[in-house]
Amino acid sequence: MSEPRLVVDADRCIGSELCVASFPLALAFDDADQLAVVLDGADELKQEELVELVSLCPMGAIRLGTAA
Amino acid sequence: MAESQQVGVRSDTIPVSERLTCPMVEGVPYRPVAEEQVRDPHPWLEAARRERPVFFLEELNAWVVTRYDDVLTVVRNTKLFSSRRANQFIEVLPGAVADVYPNGHPGLHGLVNSDPPVHTRMRKLANIAFVPAAVADMEPVLRRRANELIDAFFERGTCDFMKEYSEVFALRAITDLGNIPISPQSGGLPLESWEEWARDASRLQQGAPPLNSDLEQQIADRARVVLAWLKEFFPARRADPGGDIISRAILAETDDGEASFSDAELVGLLNGLLTAGHTTSAAFMSFMLQSVLSDRAIWESLIDDPTRIDAAIEEALRFWTPLRGMRRIAVEDVEIGGQPIRAGEEVFVSYHSANRDGAVFSGDPDAFDIDRPEVTRHLTFGKGTHFCIGAPLARLEAKVTFETLLERMPSLGLVRDDEQPWELHMRIPRPNRLLVEWDVHDAALQGVEA
């Protein structure tokens, strides 16, 4: 099974929610785990949007998956 | 969101009957500018969370939101709550200062006080400058600065950690990040010019102690010097950029060709970085050291296991909340915590209170506990669109500082200081002195053990 288009590193995510605020259709915030989680909407993002989303994270916790 | 840029602020008086104020504690009303309450407002904030979670505060002319979940609701919802006056400067700048800032204080033109789509453009550009790698690259520089500062006072066996370390270290982190020359470097201003320019920004914000005419004139004079210097500096850096954060900000362009920062926005960005970087980060490191040294067992546990520094940093961020809150303007009529808020009214999201909310932080939220399970859930850096862009740098500064102190000065301890002076700012209070002492043989002992 291939990786999704976006991958959130749970060890690095600090729950800033910058990614969620900027791309609410692609990511949501899991209040229980205090982590950003990737939604199906990430599949709809253009490549440049994916790159921008990755660059948003202050901790570098989001990376492009192999499917991107 | 363009419409939130347009929202007006209600200036009509809220009927007295609707002004539900903070509950009293043992008959004492909440007076957020009173010295003892600046130092410890938590009995009142705890009473508010329990009895009146959103109350009106005359001193801020805003509804104060105290519960964690309500604060989250406000900061997450940029459509209902505008950040246009998040950092509110005093309504009318004093004459001398207004002459220097005819378009208002530069902090008004920064990231913090903007809404989408203006904020989105600026944030994208700032993110290009503030990539994690740029901050990570600072680590060796920070380690060198930390050791240089400690070298300067080590042999004395005592120092004022706030003045001699925290303030200088936090300020140099920003000037190093921007490769800003500091005299005696050629063309540089003295470090004090930047320090005072940053502190002056908080002095001009609502919640600061009152100004007098002498201070107003000093603020104006200092601003004039810095602005004149920046007027020369930005074009020169634009013509000959490097790898520093200011060059990155100047050169930043979005993929769709949106314009880079204007010079006015660059002044606002730099002022914001210096204010946050100097005022809050310096306060944070001293507050954290005070807490960690107040319980010797915590300090010893960090010596035994330095990997616990990260948890100590997060707990100190929660416990002290150096920037106690931000303002928002309700874009439309809304209800928060059971309190109706009318369109145009302002709210103050109290991160300080939310970070002590027992509904989220288990055990005793008023205890400094680096082992608490929710240690990373604090709201000190905000959430979402306006999450503090300097957060990774603030964390790295604290980590480098504590790793260096633990390694070089394991005998470090607090000097009793019953008269410790504070800056009595309602939003950004800080200790103006932190006296510490250590055994000057610490380094020699380390040498023997090595």
Side-chain angles (χ1 to χ4, degrees):
Chain A
M1 190 175 129
S2 64
E3 273 189 321
R5 302 186 84 201
L6 288 172
V7 178
V8 176
D9 182 340
D11 291 332
R12 302 188 77 162
C13 177
I14 55 168
S16 76
E17 301 187 33
L18 254 173
C19 55
V20 177
S22 303
F23 291 92
L25 299 179
L27 289 135
F29 192 70
D30 183 330
D31 279 316
D33 291 336
Q34 292 288 298
L35 288 173
V37 291
V38 180
L39 304 175
D40 291 344
D43 292 340
E44 308 301 318
L45 295 183
K46 298 174 192 161
Q47 188 67 19
E48 57 266 31
E49 290 175 315
L50 288 170
V51 171
E52 181 190 331
L53 196 161
V54 167
S55 73
L56 272 179
C57 179
M59 299 304 288
I62 306 174
R63 65 176 172 82
L64 296 178
T66 51
Chain B
M1 191 202 45
E3 55 272 21
S4 67
Q5 296 286 326
Q6 305 302 322
V7 67
V9 177
R10 286 187 88 114
S11 57
D12 53 327
T13 306
I14 297 166
V16 173
S17 59
E18 293 180 27
R19 287 182 175 180
L20 297 171
T21 56
C22 183
M24 290 200 280
V25 173
E26 296 177 358
V28 178
Y30 183 43
R31 295 192 204 94
V33 289
E35 180 170 348
E36 67 278 13
Q37 294 193 28
V38 171
R39 289 173 186 263
D40 183 15
H42 291 292
W44 287 268
L45 295 174
E46 195 276 333
R49 288 194 301 273
R50 192 177 59 242
E51 300 170 31
R52 199 169 298 153
V54 178
F55 66 86
F56 192 81
L57 185 61
E58 193 78 42
E59 287 85 347
L60 289 174
N61 192 32
W63 295 97
V64 179
V65 180
T66 62
R67 285 182 181 165
Y68 186 97
D69 285 348
D70 292 335
V71 169
L72 259 187
T73 297
V74 173
V75 297
R76 279 174 168 168
N77 199 331
T78 57
K79 290 184 179 174
L80 278 179
F81 294 96
S82 164
S83 291
R84 191 162 56 82
R85 284 159 45 114
N87 255 343
Q88 194 190 353
F89 289 83
I90 51 182
E91 291 290 342
V92 180
L93 288 177
V97 181
D99 288 345
V100 187
Y101 297 128
N103 297 317
H105 190 275
L108 293 170
H109 311 296
L111 274 169
V112 174
N113 276 33
S114 63
D115 289 320
V118 173
H119 177 271
T120 307
R121 179 184 70 82
M122 291 179 72
R123 182 82 197 208
K124 278 182 188 175
L125 294 167
N127 282 338
I128 293 170
F130 257 93
V131 289
V135 176
D137 287 349
M138 283 290 292
E139 185 165 341
V141 180
L142 293 174
R143 290 198 186 281
R144 178 169 56 81
R145 290 274 181 222
N147 280 295
E148 284 173 358
L149 290 170
I150 293 171
D151 287 346
F153 53 64
F154 185 85
E155 291 302 325
R156 289 211 313 268
T158 184
C159 79
D160 175 350
F161 189 78
M162 183 67 181
K163 286 282 177 214
E164 297 181 71
Y165 184 91
S166 297
E167 289 192 349
V168 184
F169 184 71
L171 195 58
R172 288 312 304 248
I174 302 297
T175 58
D176 285 338
L177 200 59
N179 193 21
I180 296 172
I182 300 296
S183 69
Q185 276 181 277
S186 173
L189 289 173
L191 193 62
E192 294 73 29
S193 294
W194 298 107
E195 177 182 352
E196 291 301 330
W197 192 51
R199 290 191 74 171
D200 288 346
S202 48
R203 289 179 176 125
L204 291 169
Q205 286 178 16
Q206 202 174 48
L211 301 172
N212 58 46
S213 57
D214 284 350
L215 185 52
E216 288 168 10
Q217 190 58 52
Q218 289 168 23
I219 290 172
D221 293 343
R222 291 192 286 250
R224 201 170 279 112
V225 170
V226 170
L227 293 179
W229 189 89
L230 289 174
K231 197 172 177 182
E232 304 285 325
F233 174 71
F234 288 137
R237 186 58 60 89
R238 191 170 271 122
D240 185 19
D244 59 274
I245 195 166
I246 293 175
S247 296
R248 287 170 187 252
I250 286 172
L251 297 175
E253 287 180 0
T254 58
D255 293 340
D256 45 2
E258 290 178 76
S260 184
F261 289 102
S262 66
D263 279 8
E265 288 171 340
L266 284 171
V267 174
L269 181 70
L270 184 57
N271 187 262
L273 289 177
L274 286 165
T275 306
H278 172 257
T279 309
T280 53
S281 289
F284 168 62
M285 283 184 283
S286 286
F287 276 141
M288 178 173 168
L289 187 61
Q290 189 163 323
S291 283
V292 168
L293 290 178
S294 294
D295 184 342
R296 202 72 204 167
I298 296 178
W299 178 255
E300 300 289 346
S301 78
L302 297 180
I303 291 173
D304 291 343
D305 182 5
T307 64
R308 286 162 58 82
I309 291 173
D310 288 339
I313 290 170
E314 298 308 314
E315 176 63 350
L317 286 165
R318 181 196 74 86
F319 188 82
W320 288 104
T321 318
L323 177 63
R324 290 185 170 178
M326 295 294 245
R327 300 172 75 92
R328 296 287 188 271
I329 305 170
V331 172
E332 55 189 65
D333 290 353
V334 64
E335 187 174 302
I336 291 291
Q339 174 63 48
I341 313 274
R342 297 181 301 173
E345 289 183 348
E346 297 192 65
V347 300
F348 180 78
V349 282
S350 175
Y351 299 146
H352 202 34
S353 174
N355 283 345
R356 301 287 185 103
D357 191 336
V360 173
F361 299 100
S362 57
D364 177 4
D366 291 324
F368 185 82
D369 177 7
I370 69 174
D371 293 316
R372 68 173 61 255
E374 321 82 3
V375 75
T376 61
R377 290 194 65 184
H378 61 78
L379 300 178
T380 300
F381 293 123
K383 281 279 188 186
T385 307
H386 284 276
F387 182 80
C388 174
I389 200 163
L393 179 62
R395 286 183 163 110
L396 182 60
E397 287 176 32
K399 185 167 181 147
V400 166
T401 293
F402 278 79
E403 284 177 351
T404 309
L405 292 175
L406 289 162
E407 184 185 342
R408 294 191 60 180
M409 303 154 83
S411 65
L412 195 65
L414 294 173
V415 173
R416 183 170 172 167
D417 185 6
D418 294 334
E419 305 287 318
Q420 185 190 42
W422 275 43
E423 178 106 347
L424 297 174
H425 197 298
M426 199 192 309
R427 276 199 329 130
I428 323 169
R430 45 187 251 143
N432 282 328
R433 183 172 69 207
L434 181 63
L435 302 179
V436 292
E437 62 186 357
W438 60 92
D439 183 342
V440 294
H441 298 102
D442 269 355
L445 288 171
Q446 287 172 45
V448 170
E449 288 172 2

